[in-house]
Amino acid sequence: MLLNHRELSAFLAIARLGTINRAAQAAGMTQPALSRSLKRLEETLGAQLFRRLPGGMVLTEFGRALQRHAEMMEFETTRVVEEIHMLSGAATGVVRVGLVPSVVASLFRSALLDVNRTAPNIQIRVIEGAGDQMLEAVVRGTVDFAVIGRLQVDAEPGVVMVPLGVEEVCVAARSEHPIFSKADLTLADLGDYRWALPEKGNAIWHGFNDLFRRRGLEPPTPTVATNSVHTLKSIVSEDDYLTMMTRIVFEVEERYGLMRPVPLPEALWQREIMVVRRPRSELLPAARLLLGELERQAGALDGRDAGGEGV
């Protein structure tokens, strides 16, 4: 049995928008034409796909089963078209990527330049946030893939996590913070100061807690908790708070003397950066291109670090 592509598209429009009227407008069809398309599809399958309720159209069990397959067919059709465009040198498409702030400030900037040179017609939509938020975005399908710090949680079913590289994480403060005048600074001394940290669940939050607990110390309770890196940097650069963050994130503030790392080697650590995605076979060509460039940039960075040229 062959299914009609236009009828499947009409079916998906109704499933996503909930009414014949909205689906018809989105598809550029009249309501009667869309209704006839749905009727033909139901007759072909011999099953009712929607329950018609006063508030709109609700998928039946048969409709939910068809939706999964129809979306897969839609995805594969788009992938084939983009693959052909990529091979012909006329690459197009939209990549939706979730990134933690440190990756935006480092790998992504370099990768973006190379992607633009290779395929200038590709559109890249970046969603920035904490690692746990980006993991959830991959699970929900709102991004094609994400690059995050390793979380202390198991990967969701159907999601793979692959190491990409490492980043330096440190304790930081504004340059005039009194901690810089303290002699013989120890990890225990850090508990005497106010802290502004990422919210619980963030990869750096886990690293912060582990840093103290491994040495038998109780982690300081943060005065401020936020998943906004901009908020953290604003607070720390203007008042006497300590924070913990990836060093690349406050690179500009360090360059202009606004913030600097706290000189305590035992508080430095390397966090692993992970690519989180659905299986590689599901990535569209444009997404594969961006991911490939991110992987290449990470490999080049590791090479510089190994040669002693990195920070």
Side-chain angles (χ1 to χ4, degrees):
M1 178 190 300
L2 295 178
L3 297 178
N4 183 284
H5 179 76
R6 289 178 60 85
E7 291 172 1
L8 286 175
S9 296
F11 162 77
L12 284 175
I14 300 170
R16 290 164 177 167
L17 298 174
T19 70
I20 293 284
N21 183 37
R22 286 199 293 265
Q25 291 176 347
M29 301 171 64
T30 65
Q31 285 183 255
L34 192 64
S35 296
R36 288 194 297 271
S37 178
L38 175 59
K39 183 179 180 181
R40 286 194 300 270
L41 182 59
E42 289 181 324
E43 289 174 348
T44 299
L45 294 172
Q48 183 180 349
L49 301 174
F50 293 94
R51 293 197 307 274
R52 289 137 175 95
L53 303 177
M57 307 283 281
V58 178
L59 286 166
T60 64
E61 180 183 357
F62 302 110
R64 288 192 298 271
L66 179 62
Q67 184 181 27
R68 291 192 297 271
H69 292 286
E71 288 178 340
M72 186 182 302
M73 292 172 65
E74 180 185 58
F75 181 91
E76 287 300 323
T77 299
T78 303
R79 186 177 67 83
V80 168
V81 171
E82 290 195 10
E83 191 83 56
I84 296 300
H85 286 163
M86 188 75 70
L87 290 171
S88 66
T92 60
V94 177
V95 185
R96 304 162 303 162
V97 58
L99 302 174
V100 292
S102 60
V103 174
V104 175
S106 56
L107 299 178
F108 177 71
R109 289 189 301 188
S110 300
L112 180 61
L113 293 174
D114 289 331
V115 169
N116 284 338
R117 280 194 290 266
T118 303
N121 293 323
I122 286 178
Q123 300 177 43
I124 301 175
R125 297 176 182 170
V126 176
I127 299 175
E128 183 179 332
D132 52 344
Q133 296 170 326
M134 297 302 95
L135 176 60
E136 179 61 25
V138 174
V139 172
R140 293 197 313 268
T142 55
V143 297
D144 298 307
F145 67 91
V147 183
I148 67 174
R150 178 185 285 278
L151 298 173
Q152 294 184 348
V153 297
D154 294 330
E156 296 283 343
V159 173
V160 295
M161 301 179 69
V162 180
L164 182 63
V166 294
E167 295 179 323
E168 181 182 83
V169 182
C170 63
V171 176
R174 74 185 185 107
S175 297
E176 296 81 15
H177 194 290
I179 198 170
F180 294 111
S181 61
K182 183 173 178 58
D184 302 319
L185 184 67
T186 68
L187 189 65
D189 293 329
L190 300 185
D192 297 334
Y193 300 94
R194 293 179 297 167
W195 282 82
L197 285 173
E199 290 181 350
K200 184 176 181 180
N202 183 285
I204 289 180
W205 181 90
H206 284 294
F208 168 82
N209 278 269
D210 289 346
L211 179 68
F212 287 90
R213 295 193 188 282
R214 283 198 304 268
R215 292 164 176 80
L217 299 171
E218 186 66 24
T221 301
T223 305
V224 178
T226 174
N227 273 337
S228 167
V229 170
H230 175 74
T231 299
L232 282 178
K233 292 196 295 184
S234 296
I235 292 170
V236 172
S237 63
E238 296 178 7
D239 206 345
D240 289 335
Y241 285 90
L242 299 180
T243 191
M244 179 174 280
M245 61 175 59
T246 307
R247 190 167 182 178
I248 189 69
V249 165
F250 65 95
E251 178 185 41
V252 173
E253 287 79 7
E254 185 176 3
R255 186 185 309 149
Y256 287 97
L258 300 175
M259 291 175 61
R260 55 181 167 135
V262 172
L264 187 62
E266 61 186 311
L268 293 174
W269 55 283
Q270 300 286 322
R271 76 161 178 173
E272 196 168 23
I273 296 299
M274 312 292 292
V275 175
V276 184
R277 55 175 177 77
R278 294 176 295 279
R280 182 176 293 272
S281 61
E282 295 185 2
L283 285 181
L284 292 170
R288 289 207 308 270
L289 176 63
L290 175 59
L291 178 54
E293 287 298 337
L294 288 168
E295 291 170 339
R296 192 174 68 81
Q297 293 296 330
L301 182 60
D302 286 346
R304 290 198 298 272
D305 290 347
E309 299 175 11
V311 176

